[in-house]
Amino acid sequence: MFLFRRGPARVTPADARRRTRGEGAVLLDVRERAEWTAGHAPGAVHAPLSALLAGSGLPPAAQGRSLVVIYRSGHRSRQAARILTERGAQAVDVKGGMNAWSAVGLPVVDGHGSSGSIA
């Protein structure tokens, strides 16, 4: 029997919120700086995908913790979650990314803590 590895699990925005609020996981936003500054989930930790691809480690707040990885639409967060899983992290990604997060009414703040937008 031949088994295919499907990669890290995918979660809904509501499940991501539950995991990061009640289960101690870190919401890891892997968008680039301008996107992050325009709008991100409160309490998220920023680690750009470009830095992860270049071999950078995780920020201290995300080290040794379960990760819920998010990007704008979900495609690149899947890539980041796969990279992190290969490095030994426990990571899942958010289906639909920040677009889906915002669409279901979850909060988004900008770099100053005011109401943000998804760039």
Side-chain angles (χ1 to χ4, degrees):
M1 184 167 147
F2 187 71
L3 299 175
F4 290 97
R5 180 159 181 200
R6 297 186 52 169
R10 306 195 84 195
V11 298
T12 65
D15 191 40
R17 175 84 165 191
R18 180 184 56 76
R19 287 177 183 228
T20 57
R21 293 191 106 192
E23 297 178 14
V26 171
L27 184 64
L28 188 70
D29 192 320
V30 296
R31 295 174 300 146
E32 297 305 316
R33 171 69 52 200
E35 296 168 298
W36 164 265
T37 301
H40 57 273
V45 173
H46 186 228
L49 178 59
S50 60
L52 293 174
L53 288 170
S56 292
L58 290 170
Q63 293 176 6
R65 303 203 29 216
S66 295
L67 305 171
V68 178
V69 184
I70 197 163
Y71 202 87
R72 186 181 55 202
S73 66
H75 175 72
R76 291 188 181 144
S77 61
R78 188 149 178 86
Q79 179 184 10
R82 186 169 283 131
I83 289 167
L84 292 166
T85 298
E86 289 170 358
R87 291 182 186 175
Q90 251 189 340
V92 298
D93 82 291
V94 181
K95 290 187 268 185
M98 285 300 296
N99 288 334
W101 179 277
S102 177
V104 298
L106 294 173
V108 177
V109 295
D110 67 12
H112 302 289
S114 300
S115 183
S117 63
I118 307 307

